[in-house]
Amino acid sequence: PTHGMSPNFLMEPGAPVVGKSYEEVAGPWDKGVTPIPLKLDRPPSLLDHARTALFMVSDDAAYMSGQIISSCDGGTLARVSIPFPEDQGTPTL
């Protein structure tokens, strides 16, 4: 999932730094329309990723190792990685 990522990743090298996430620059945020399962009142931001990185280098994360922390996917990874019966149709036995 790429929620909260900078649109600069899609731009030519040397393009001016946008400083906001794709969702922040895409227009008004409507949590009812976004495909992100976690429905917060604000779009994901670059700061969400930065805060996760700061946590990982802090003493609070001293005993964490070998973990994947999706800092800004809003539950998307769980939703797309787990097959739900309604997404698969009726299983045949």
Side-chain angles (χ1 to χ4, degrees):
T2 58
H3 306 305
M5 299 300 285
S6 171
N8 281 99
F9 287 113
L10 301 174
M11 298 176 170
E12 294 291 324
V17 175
V18 176
K20 293 185 177 185
S21 71
Y22 176 79
E23 291 86 357
E24 289 175 306
V25 299
W29 177 251
D30 184 348
K31 67 182 179 182
V33 176
T34 180
I36 301 171
L38 182 61
K39 305 297 184 189
L40 296 180
D41 290 329
R42 64 168 180 83
S45 72
L46 302 178
L47 284 175
D48 292 310
H49 293 290
R51 288 180 182 121
T52 302
L54 289 172
F55 166 72
M56 292 303 297
V57 300
S58 75
D59 289 341
D60 292 332
Y63 269 89
M64 292 184 74
S65 64
Q67 302 299 313
I68 296 173
I69 300 177
S70 299
S71 63
C72 199
D73 81 341
T76 300
L77 184 59
R79 179 71 178 146
V80 299
S81 65
I82 302 171
F84 291 93
E86 65 269 15
D87 295 338
Q88 305 285 321
T90 305
T92 55
L93 301 175

